[in-house]
Amino acid sequence: MGLEAAFADEPAFVPYLAAGDPNYEDSIAYVEALAAGGADAIELGLPFSEPIAEGTTIQNAIVRSLEAGMTPERFFEFVEDLDVDVPLVCMTYYNLIYQYGDEEGPRPFVEKAAEVGLGGFVVPDLPAEEAGPLRDACDEFGLDLVFIVAPTTTPERLERMREQVSGYVYVQARLGVTGARDDVDDATEESLARIADWDVPKAVGFGIKTGDHAERIVAAGADGVIVGSALVDIVAEGTENGDPTDEVADRLEALARELKEGALRGAQERPQPERT
Amino acid sequence: MSTDDAHDPKFGEYGGQYVPEALMPAIEELADAYERYVLDNEDGFMDEFRSRLADFGGRPTPLQYADQLSERYDTDVYLKREDLLHGGAHKLNNALGQVLLAKYMGKERIIAETGAGQHGTATAMAAAHLDMPCEIYMGETDIARQRPNVFRMRINGSEVVPVTVGRGTLKEAISETMREWATTVENTHYVIGSVVGPHPFPKMVRDFQAVISEEAREQAVEKTGGLPTDVVACAGGGSNTMGAFAEFIPDEDVALHAVEAGGSSLQVDEEEGVAPNSATLSTGDEGVLHGARTKLLQDSDGQIMESHSVSAGLDYAGVGPELAHLVDEGRVRPVNVDDDLALEAFHRLSQDEGIIPALETAHAFGYLEKYHDDLGDTVVVNVSGRGDKDLETVIEETSKRDLDIAPDMSVLQRMGGGGL
């Protein structure tokens, strides 16, 4: 299933969790809870030991997952074991994609990803300039390649990304690394305006943690919201306190529902196109 | 100055710009500044850099004939004395260049990472000299084993920010500094400490360090009437290595030896994700880390391994992409020396020549001890830094071993040890 489908009918809620955080079994339950709460697509983090684009929250999730034994091979099993009916996106760093399999380059990883049913990739340390081989492999196996647009991205670089992006474009709401914040940055509207005529859905991420945030982001013109750290915080808290898996899953599902409903409210506030 | 294409972000297959999108404009801006100021000397940047290197830094450093070592190894050994540069290591060449460049670019704040603390110290000194606020990120393990340098950074007015994730060494400090840069990129310059990271850092840092080989080449001709047969330099990230090699690369008769940290063993424990060495050029595989494609210590999944060396400055799982390329081309010979031999060489140089070398540098002398029969008749060794910062480590590590050459440590032990 192409990732664009997740945005077809209404604003999409796209949550992120690190696969295998804090362990394989609990993580399966947590991801499934997000789907039950209304996720339209899910970003699954495949942990890399040097996650330079992540803030402390997701960095710690990655450490927990790696310590519990997550590997690329286990990640693919994880995807196969999930019982969810929405597109799944692999979010990871390029070295893991590049190293997989005997053959040099990203092709074996993409082939395996297609085999287990993943819909595409977000690779934070792979700019458009270096993405050619991965883009080619994605084309060969029918997967999407999502790029991140930052507030600092220049017009020249936007054009380079526009040529290669598919599925959706990830609009980074503010500068910095991932992490929940208490407010929504004004830079978001400006970023959305810069890519308004792109023919892929625009999903905004970085710093969104409440239904109100989601509402404002969608009202500002986003086609969807991406939420990671606020959800990972729930996993971390449950892990630290030794809470039962079901309770943590319930909390995740509740926040997912709040975020999805916020996004839906935001859509109603958008100026309606004039009927002719 | 190097003649390679400054616009090309690659060295063969290596190099490139693998960074989060938020940083791309900053490294493009930096690449533009590198070309204008460093390569084209716009606004007299390079003139000011050279002038400050001379007056503040103390360049040129001598190329000293080493009497005892020459006799011991039956070959002419010359020492390029970067330990005599201000701050006690070659690191000032790069730090001064980048802090000055940040000023020319209109940046308001400096951040840097450091492993052994030499780069952090040099950056703190350059920032104080050029009146720029500065924060240094340092792994907590390295803070513990490099206390004198931590104090030097603080004394020079820089903040030292402890990095507690992972094993708390250089790898983690670089990742953390990249995160900080992604948040503050509009007014902040990140002074990378070696010939690593995304383009233009590997080329720019090499060009700032190339003054080492530029001087050494001229001094060798002046003192010996010709070029050396061999140049030997230790290699962690590779900045002193590239600095010592850069101007000799076209001289194909000059053999170039990059001495890595063999640590306690070249065997890796893949299960634990640990390489008990930092011999990236000798044993690493191609991959992508910290903004560049290069050789890395990594497991079969592509996860980066924890490296090890008795020397904090060599303890890094990556290496500069140009060095990786030169090794593949056969121009640079990668070799390695283990912790024990490096410690022996530390004591030998101290006793024979009256020079207390950094533990990084001691690896180059360990190589000389073991392989001098393979070298030609005129050898230049880059004394990349002085060893004051390493004394606590040397006392601790020497006490654990039975080294014939070590001084009697019992006096220190009677004093309670570690009380420097």
Side-chain angles (χ1 to χ4, degrees):
Chain A
M1 187 186 336
L3 299 179
E4 277 196 57
F7 299 80
D9 303 323
E10 55 188 30
F13 162 55
V14 184
Y16 165 96
L17 283 181
D21 169 30
N23 59 61
Y24 192 95
E25 289 74 21
D26 287 351
S27 187
I28 291 270
Y30 297 163
V31 174
E32 290 176 354
L34 296 177
D40 298 290
I42 300 173
E43 290 182 357
L44 293 174
L46 164 56
F48 177 51
S49 55
E50 313 302 318
I52 57 173
E54 316 297 351
T56 312
T57 303
I58 291 179
Q59 213 182 333
N60 289 338
I62 283 171
V63 170
R64 286 191 297 269
S65 171
L66 284 172
E67 284 179 351
M70 183 50 75
T71 64
E73 213 52 72
R74 287 285 279 164
F75 177 80
F76 290 129
E77 287 168 26
F78 185 92
V79 172
E80 285 183 312
D81 284 348
L82 279 174
D83 183 15
V84 296
D85 192 23
V86 295
L88 300 171
V89 184
C90 170
M91 184 158 185
T92 194
Y93 287 75
Y94 192 53
N95 200 46
L96 297 189
I97 295 177
Y98 185 81
Q99 295 299 334
Y100 186 81
D102 294 333
E103 185 186 329
E104 196 174 86
R107 191 179 179 279
F109 190 93
V110 178
E111 184 175 16
K112 180 72 182 178
E115 191 185 307
V116 299
L118 280 162
F121 303 99
V122 184
V123 190
D125 65 341
L126 188 71
E129 287 80 356
E130 308 284 0
L134 181 58
R135 178 72 264 178
D136 291 347
C138 284
D139 288 345
E140 183 182 345
F141 295 101
L143 269 66
D144 286 314
L145 183 56
V146 174
F147 284 92
I148 300 173
V149 168
T152 47
T153 303
T154 58
E156 300 77 41
R157 302 209 61 262
L158 280 180
E159 282 311 305
R160 246 171 264 162
M161 256 183 247
R162 185 180 189 166
E163 287 164 17
Q164 300 201 52
V165 69
S166 69
Y168 56 93
V169 57
Y170 187 142
V171 180
Q172 184 178 328
R174 55 170 171 72
L175 276 180
V177 291
T178 55
R181 293 290 189 280
D182 288 326
D183 206 356
V184 176
D185 202 300
D186 292 340
T188 308
E189 276 186 54
E190 263 173 58
S191 294
L192 285 169
R194 293 203 300 157
I195 57 169
D197 63 344
W198 288 24
D199 59 1
V200 289
K202 292 101 193 160
V204 174
F206 275 50
I208 301 167
K209 68 176 188 182
T210 66
D212 288 346
H213 290 166
E215 180 180 343
R216 273 187 277 165
I217 295 279
V218 172
D223 300 305
V225 291
I226 302 169
V227 181
S229 296
L231 298 163
V232 173
D233 276 338
I234 293 175
V235 175
E237 203 185 299
T239 307
E240 276 163 30
N241 298 336
D243 294 345
T245 306
D246 290 350
E247 277 182 24
V248 178
D250 287 348
R251 274 176 241 150
L252 286 167
E253 187 177 333
L255 181 56
R257 189 159 288 124
E258 178 192 329
L259 289 158
K260 174 70 185 177
E261 285 167 2
L264 289 172
R265 284 198 306 277
Q268 288 165 3
E269 293 162 26
R270 287 158 81 157
Q272 298 300 312
E274 285 177 27
R275 290 176 192 279
T276 52
Chain B
M1 202 55 55
S2 170
T3 54
D4 60 7
D5 180 2
H7 299 277
D8 185 358
K10 296 280 176 72
F11 306 95
E13 288 295 304
Y14 298 107
Q17 298 176 314
Y18 295 84
V19 296
E21 179 55 34
L23 290 180
M24 282 302 291
I27 63 174
E28 287 186 338
E29 181 190 356
L30 186 62
D32 180 58
Y34 163 60
E35 288 173 30
R36 285 166 47 205
Y37 296 120
V38 180
L39 299 180
D40 297 340
N41 194 28
E42 193 173 306
D43 298 340
F45 172 83
M46 284 304 284
D47 301 328
E48 180 173 353
F49 171 55
R50 294 293 174 126
S51 160
R52 287 183 187 273
L53 263 187
D55 295 344
F56 177 68
R59 297 213 76 92
T61 60
L63 183 72
Q64 177 210 338
Y65 183 72
D67 300 277
Q68 325 303 330
L69 293 183
S70 296
E71 190 177 333
R72 178 179 178 87
Y73 300 132
D74 194 23
T75 187
D76 286 337
V77 178
Y78 288 87
L79 308 178
K80 182 58 179 165
R81 297 290 308 275
E82 290 301 292
D83 59 317
L84 293 181
L85 191 64
H86 177 49
H90 71 289
K91 294 288 187 184
L92 185 74
N93 300 321
N94 170 47
L96 187 63
Q98 286 200 48
V99 175
L100 187 63
L101 186 67
K103 227 175 161 87
Y104 272 60
M105 292 169 71
K107 299 289 179 183
E108 295 160 7
R109 172 174 173 261
I110 294 296
I111 55 172
E113 92 297 318
T114 196
Q118 282 301 81
H119 171 59
T121 301
T123 305
M125 285 172 169
H129 174 63
L130 292 164
D131 194 23
M132 292 275 269
C134 177
E135 282 172 32
I136 312 281
Y137 290 75
M138 188 170 185
E140 58 180 357
T141 305
D142 288 338
I143 287 179
R145 60 180 171 174
Q146 301 289 340
R147 289 194 306 165
N149 270 341
V150 174
F151 291 126
R152 288 209 291 174
M153 287 179 253
R154 297 287 295 119
I155 287 165
N156 280 127
S158 286
E159 296 296 327
V160 177
V161 184
V163 177
T164 56
V165 292
R167 203 164 58 92
T169 60
L170 180 59
K171 174 167 77 71
E172 290 81 16
I174 292 180
S175 292
E176 194 61 28
T177 317
M178 285 200 161
R179 289 188 191 98
E180 171 62 21
W181 198 28
T183 310
T184 57
V185 66
E186 287 168 316
N187 70 349
T188 298
H189 175 68
Y190 171 15
V191 180
I192 283 190
S194 192
V195 286
V196 301
H199 174 76
F201 282 108
K203 288 190 175 182
M204 183 174 71
V205 176
R206 173 203 65 196
D207 289 350
F208 286 140
Q209 293 291 0
V211 64
I212 301 172
S213 47
E214 186 185 304
E215 285 175 9
R217 201 174 181 284
E218 281 172 19
Q219 290 164 326
V221 170
E222 200 176 295
K223 291 197 171 206
T224 70
L227 295 176
T229 52
D230 301 83
V231 179
V232 179
C234 61
S239 73
N240 98 86
T241 332
M242 282 310 305
F245 292 174
E247 296 295 321
F248 290 109
I249 288 170
D251 302 317
E252 298 204 350
D253 291 340
V254 180
L256 306 173
H257 310 264
V259 188
E260 299 191 286
S264 57
S265 165
L266 289 186
Q267 302 302 313
V268 301
D269 183 344
E270 177 134 345
E271 189 83 351
E272 291 294 313
V274 174
N277 61 72
S278 305
T280 317
L281 290 167
S282 314
T283 66
D285 295 321
E286 189 181 333
V288 174
L289 177 65
H290 293 146
R293 179 175 298 196
T294 186
K295 287 182 188 285
L296 304 173
L297 298 176
Q298 57 186 323
D299 67 17
S300 54
D301 287 333
Q303 304 289 4
I304 307 306
M305 288 205 177
E306 299 294 350
S307 57
H308 164 78
S309 169
V310 69
S311 161
L314 300 182
D315 195 350
Y316 181 53
V319 68
E322 185 171 15
L323 263 177
H325 175 62
L326 290 168
V327 164
D328 280 3
E329 297 277 287
R331 182 66 192 92
V332 167
R333 181 175 179 219
V335 292
N336 58 78
V337 158
D338 66 18
D339 289 346
D340 292 352
L341 188 52
L343 270 172
E344 271 181 47
F346 173 93
H347 290 296
R348 183 169 294 107
L349 192 70
S350 302
Q351 290 169 30
D352 285 2
E353 296 289 348
I355 296 170
I356 300 175
L359 276 172
E360 293 89 327
T361 309
H363 284 73
F365 288 96
Y367 175 69
L368 200 58
E369 170 74 10
K370 197 166 177 187
Y371 297 103
H372 55 87
D373 287 343
D374 299 343
L375 302 177
D377 56 15
T378 317
V379 181
V380 170
V381 184
N382 193 29
V383 186
S384 57
R386 70 176 189 225
D388 311 38
K389 70 186 172 67
D390 291 321
L391 293 185
E392 287 191 36
T393 306
V394 169
I395 292 165
E396 189 186 330
E397 294 293 329
T398 303
S399 302
K400 285 185 204 163
R401 291 168 169 83
D402 186 18
L403 299 180
D404 289 341
I405 193 169
D408 180 1
M409 307 296 282
S410 57
V411 175
L412 275 172
Q413 279 157 3
R414 279 201 299 277
M415 288 166 59
L420 287 172

